[in-house]
Amino acid sequence: MDESHLTGLATDARINERLIARGLDPMKGPILSQVLEEALGQSLPSHEALRQWKPERMTADQRVREVLRRYASAS
């Protein structure tokens, strides 16, 4: 899987998290809080997850990359 696809999934995860925080339905795909909980075993409040986990940081962390790869292969 190429880097641009992983970055796109990381961006989608952040967008979905923002949609949920605003009370809207997410798009199909990963959600930041779910990705982080699965990858890191930690649950962060939405605003904290959005503040800390930019797409560049998400794709740099191997644990998060693996979860994003699983999302990509499932779709």
Side-chain angles (χ1 to χ4, degrees), residues 8-40:
L9 284 172
T11 301
D12 287 350
R14 285 180 47 79
I15 291 169
N16 279 336
E17 188 70 38
R18 291 171 80 189
L19 289 171
I20 291 169
R22 292 183 174 136
L24 302 171
D25 291 332
M27 305 179 296
K28 181 181 177 195
I31 298 169
L32 180 59
S33 58
Q34 292 174 350
V35 170
L36 294 178
E37 187 162 353
E38 189 176 333
L40 310 174

Side-chain angles (χ1 to χ4, degrees), residues 2-73:
D2 65 3
E3 196 66 29
S4 65
H5 191 85
L6 281 177
T7 302
L9 284 172
T11 301
D12 287 350
R14 285 180 47 79
I15 291 169
N16 279 336
E17 188 70 38
R18 291 171 80 189
L19 289 171
I20 291 169
R22 292 183 174 136
L24 302 171
D25 291 332
M27 305 179 296
K28 181 181 177 195
I31 298 169
L32 180 59
S33 58
Q34 292 174 350
V35 170
L36 294 178
E37 187 162 353
E38 189 176 333
L40 310 174
Q42 71 183 114
S43 179
L44 294 173
S46 185
H47 68 278
E48 190 66 24
L50 288 166
R51 187 179 68 76
Q52 289 185 19
W53 288 90
K54 305 290 187 228
E56 317 79 56
R57 182 173 179 208
M58 292 175 70
T59 57
D61 188 304
Q62 288 294 47
R63 300 166 295 178
V64 176
R65 288 175 71 93
E66 285 304 313
V67 173
L68 291 173
R69 282 189 185 109
R70 284 196 297 270
Y71 273 97
S73 65

